[in-house]
Amino acid sequence: MQEKVVAILEEIKQSSAENAAQLEQYRLRFISKKSVITELFGELKHVANDKKREVGQQLNELKNEAQQKFKKLIAQLDDQQTANESIGIDVSLPDGGQELGGVHPLNYIRFKIIEIFERIGFNVSDGPEIEDDWHNFSALNFPENHPAREMQDTFFIERDPDILLRTHTSNVQVRLTENQKPPIRSIMPGRAFRNEAISARAHCVFHQVEGLYIDKNVSFVNLKQTLYHFAKEMFGKHTEVRFRPSYFPFTEPSAEIDISCQICHGDGCQLSKFTGWVEIAGSGMVDPNVLENCGIDPDEYTGFAFGMGIERISQLKFRVNDLRLYTENDVRFLKQFRTLH
Ligand code: PHE
């Protein structure tokens, strides 16, 4: 009997409870009505009479010991729970506010351009950034070894046959014309790549929106009117537009489009190189060779195309004069556009 008491006492001392289940196990073994201690009390009647008193006392002490340890285990578990809660979430605390993101200025301009052209019946098309020579150059009437190719500072991925990063979004013009029958009236926003050293005024990755309209009887008047409309929608109705003769292999005749400078309004500034005009796009009537290259009969159909730089338009609207800001993800810059939508 005494040996059992000693063994149980030792067992109680070693006991611990790290969670409610272990505490319950302890309770069942040492405290409950069916505990080992109750069992021992039951055995008391077999103890010799002269020892009964002494053994009874020992059992009472054991019972006390078991109960005290039980209280201790409960207190320990309680402490631990409070500690856990304090590192958890206190739902009664204020949340500190939620920061909402904003639209990137280049996306804002892109959405705006799309919106303007969609309203006059253009849809939106997409094309690959990794392109072959045919779609970026040859189909667009760039003869082999023509200096215009050199001017594009191409990033080549493979040579012979050439695979490259498109140097303009005009590749989508070709893909669209190859795959669709006129009338085609589409704008094509996307990234373009040229091997230029990164500086405030040049970047090797930039964004363009290409436009294409092919149908019967499309004329230069349509081109002019479309771009007048665009410039006034984008920059306001007092904006002046000027078409300057230019050259692109894939358009004939070609023109560059200038608008009255939004920064100096004609007074002269760095951006307009003191002329009061800034260039926003290249354009022209699609060269008959290009139509033929894409399987469209140039005697039946004509078309115009234009291509504009999103960075330049954003620069005029928001006066961002360092192109690097667009890709550096400096929140001090981005936060200034938070109210755009
Ligand atoms: N692809 C020309 C460029 O990147 C722009 C352009 C597009 C010019 C369509 C005329 C017609 O400079």
Side-chain angles (χ1 to χ4, degrees):
M1 182 73 157
Q2 260 169 338
E3 277 162 24
K4 280 189 187 166
V5 173
V6 173
I8 292 172
L9 194 61
E10 190 54 32
E11 214 187 312
I12 289 172
K13 280 188 187 153
Q14 303 289 326
S15 294
S16 64
E18 266 155 35
N19 51 43
Q22 285 177 5
L23 186 71
E24 178 61 5
Q25 258 170 22
Y26 179 92
R27 191 188 69 80
L28 288 173
R29 181 149 176 79
F30 301 113
I31 310 286
S32 72
K33 279 195 181 133
K34 289 181 181 165
S35 73
V36 282
I37 297 173
T38 318
E39 227 172 80
L40 286 185
F41 273 108
E43 285 175 25
L44 199 58
K45 57 180 180 276
H46 305 302
V47 174
N49 275 345
D50 58 336
K51 292 255 175 160
K52 263 199 176 102
R53 199 189 154 94
E54 192 191 334
V55 175
Q57 235 171 21
Q58 281 176 347
L59 284 183
N60 275 332
E61 275 167 24
L62 182 64
K63 194 176 159 187
N64 270 342
E65 201 68 39
Q67 267 165 356
Q68 273 184 10
K69 177 78 184 216
F70 189 49
K71 281 187 195 154
K72 214 164 129 185
L73 291 180
I74 291 175
Q76 271 174 4
L77 214 58
D78 248 16
D79 281 355
Q80 201 184 317
Q81 253 164 18
T82 329
N84 281 347
E85 273 161 20
S86 73
I87 56 163
I89 297 167
D90 181 348
V91 289
S92 65
L93 283 176
D95 70 356
Q98 287 267 321
E99 288 248 22
L100 275 183
V103 181
H104 191 281
L106 296 181
N107 273 339
Y108 172 81
I109 298 291
R110 179 163 60 94
F111 295 148
K112 198 99 190 141
I113 297 173
I114 291 174
E115 200 181 293
I116 294 171
F117 283 103
E118 271 182 345
R119 263 189 270 130
I120 53 169
F122 283 74
N123 63 14
V124 180
S125 308
D126 202 3
E129 293 178 344
I130 296 175
E131 195 47 286
D132 51 31
D133 176 274
W134 171 255
H135 291 95
N136 195 80
F137 291 126
S138 298
L140 287 163
N141 212 23
F142 281 83
E144 276 199 36
N145 306 318
H146 192 279
R149 286 190 186 218
E150 300 308 312
M151 279 163 59
Q152 301 254 330
D153 297 317
T154 313
F155 281 119
F156 289 96
I157 291 174
E158 278 169 32
R159 301 304 304 249
D160 284 332
D162 290 348
I163 302 291
L164 44 91
L165 292 178
R166 67 175 173 196
T167 58
H168 49 186
T169 42
S170 304
N171 68 322
V172 195
Q173 253 194 64
V174 178
R175 289 188 172 268
L176 216 59
T177 320
E178 279 176 341
N179 296 318
Q180 284 181 25
K181 285 206 172 79
I184 298 171
R185 206 188 291 135
S186 199
I187 53 163
M188 302 145 250
R191 287 194 299 183
F193 308 83
R194 287 183 200 177
N195 190 0
E196 303 222 26
I198 296 172
S199 72
R201 270 185 258 158
H203 209 292
C204 52
V205 185
F206 55 99
H207 299 77
Q208 288 188 330
V209 178
E210 191 89 359
L212 179 69
Y213 178 26
I214 301 176
D215 203 352
K216 287 178 179 155
N217 301 320
V218 174
S219 73
F220 204 91
V221 175
N222 301 122
L223 168 63
K224 265 182 118 171
Q225 207 50 48
T226 305
L227 288 168
Y228 274 137
H229 173 75
F230 167 75
K232 286 174 196 272
E233 286 289 304
M234 189 67 168
F235 296 105
K237 60 176 185 288
H238 300 297
T239 310
E240 286 179 70
V241 183
R242 146 177 122 165
F243 279 67
R244 200 163 23 82
S246 185
Y247 169 78
F248 298 103
F250 39 97
T251 47
E252 181 59 36
S254 307
E256 268 164 326
I257 296 139
D258 297 342
I259 61 163
S260 47
C261 182
Q262 304 294 299
I263 293 170
C264 69
H265 297 286
D267 294 344
C269 66
Q270 284 287 348
L271 184 67
S272 73
K273 300 198 185 87
F274 300 96
T275 65
W277 295 94
V278 278
E279 183 200 322
I280 60 160
S283 70
M285 300 308 291
V286 181
D287 192 300
N289 287 344
V290 176
L291 291 176
E292 221 165 82
N293 285 340
C294 299
I296 289 182
D297 181 359
D299 292 331
E300 199 180 348
Y301 292 102
T302 49
F304 69 70
F306 57 86
M308 57 182 88
I310 299 186
E311 278 83 354
R312 169 48 66 93
I313 292 172
S314 166
Q315 180 179 26
L316 288 167
K317 277 219 86 77
F318 303 128
R319 306 191 178 194
V320 177
N321 51 16
D322 189 330
L323 281 175
R324 292 168 293 194
L325 287 165
Y326 290 121
T327 45
E328 278 169 351
N329 277 339
D330 185 333
V331 285
R332 290 168 302 180
F333 172 72
L334 297 173
K335 270 184 174 173
Q336 297 175 55
F337 303 95
R338 230 173 5 187
T339 53
L340 297 180
H341 50 80

